[in-house]
Amino acid sequence: MRRATNQYLFSWGHLKALCWSVGLCLSLGLGFSPFTLADSQLTNAQLNGPQLTAPQKRVAQLQEQWAITNYQTSGDAQKTAYEKLLQDADQALAQYPNNADILIWSGIIKSSYAGAKGGIGALKYAKASKADLEQALRLNEKALDGSAYTSLGTLYFKVPGWPIGFGDDKKAEELLLKALQINPTGIDPNYFYAEYLRDNGDYTQAKAYYQTALKAPDRPNRPLADAGRRQEIQQALDALQSKLH
């Protein structure tokens, strides 16, 4: 477990070192695909069809642009694309402030931008993501198959703990397990719980959850997101082999 606790007294020198390390942590630790893709099942026909409500169309647009930004761009171009997505998410929230699906995607986009941005400034976006996801849970904890639990749980184990951030491994596991209760076969809840287990040294269990994630059913109209996630899972499994021997 890597959380700082209040049993330590920090000098200014320690705090400066921690400020540097949190920037590194947010640059490296949040540079994954957070936050987890919401399991929204929207087809191309539905995207512009009369059966979709206006908020659902906004969700579909946000998730599609997120997948393109996350998996098909990099470097400065990715940061710029995320900044545009942040604006789009803010506009959607201004229109539909009590829509849990939009709040989840706003949280996903903010945390993803935190990973792309890195440095001390990234923590602001991680905290904003946390606020969106907590509000989504208050409105509808089962929205998008419990994706707010997965995303929030991942934030809790990726963000540094006190005195810099709000990270908390115990809280992370509690949230990730709730996500699995709602969506036990989903690619994202299994993948991110595997990540949590790996980071905490439980390599055998991590492998089992990665394998479950790899076998998860395809999501309609999500080929880019599913392909990107499966590549991440396979890379994680390959890296895990050295830990298991």
Side-chain angles (χ1 to χ4, degrees), residues 128-240:
S129 172
K130 176 176 176 286
D132 285 345
L133 295 167
E134 288 174 338
Q135 178 62 8
L137 286 174
R138 284 190 286 268
L139 291 169
N140 181 7
E141 67 175 357
K142 294 185 178 179
L144 300 178
D145 289 331
S147 290
Y149 279 123
T150 309
S151 299
L152 189 57
T154 307
L155 269 177
Y156 268 104
F157 85 86
K158 291 291 185 180
V159 169
W162 184 92
I164 299 299
F166 56 82
D168 183 325
D169 281 345
K170 184 177 180 180
K171 182 69 173 178
E173 184 169 33
E174 174 189 327
L175 293 164
L176 292 168
L177 288 174
K178 284 184 178 179
L180 282 166
Q181 289 175 358
I182 294 172
N183 187 16
T185 61
I187 190 170
D188 285 334
N190 281 283
Y191 169 69
F192 284 109
Y193 189 50
E195 292 276 282
Y196 168 84
L197 292 168
R198 182 203 61 190
D199 282 9
N200 283 279
D202 193 344
Y203 303 125
T204 300
Q205 281 296 305
K207 180 179 179 180
Y209 280 94
Y210 279 132
Q211 290 174 330
T212 300
L214 200 58
K215 294 183 290 186
D218 292 339
R219 295 172 291 188
N221 199 40
R222 306 299 298 283
L224 176 58
D226 284 347
R229 181 69 79 229
R230 289 196 172 100
Q231 183 178 18
E232 290 168 343
I233 294 166
Q234 191 58 63
Q235 289 171 347
L237 280 168
D238 292 344
L240 205 59

Side-chain angles (χ1 to χ4, degrees), residues 49-94:
Q51 66 270 42
L52 269 193
T53 65
Q56 287 172 329
K57 289 182 180 180
R58 294 302 297 268
V59 169
Q61 291 161 359
L62 290 173
Q63 72 178 20
E64 181 181 15
Q65 288 304 309
W66 180 91
I68 292 170
T69 300
N70 194 61
Y71 291 114
Q72 293 188 334
T73 65
S74 61
D76 290 340
Q78 186 178 66
K79 290 181 184 178
T80 300
Y82 272 132
E83 287 164 1
K84 173 63 168 60
L85 259 179
L86 284 171
Q87 294 176 359
D88 292 344
D90 285 345
Q91 290 172 3
L93 270 183

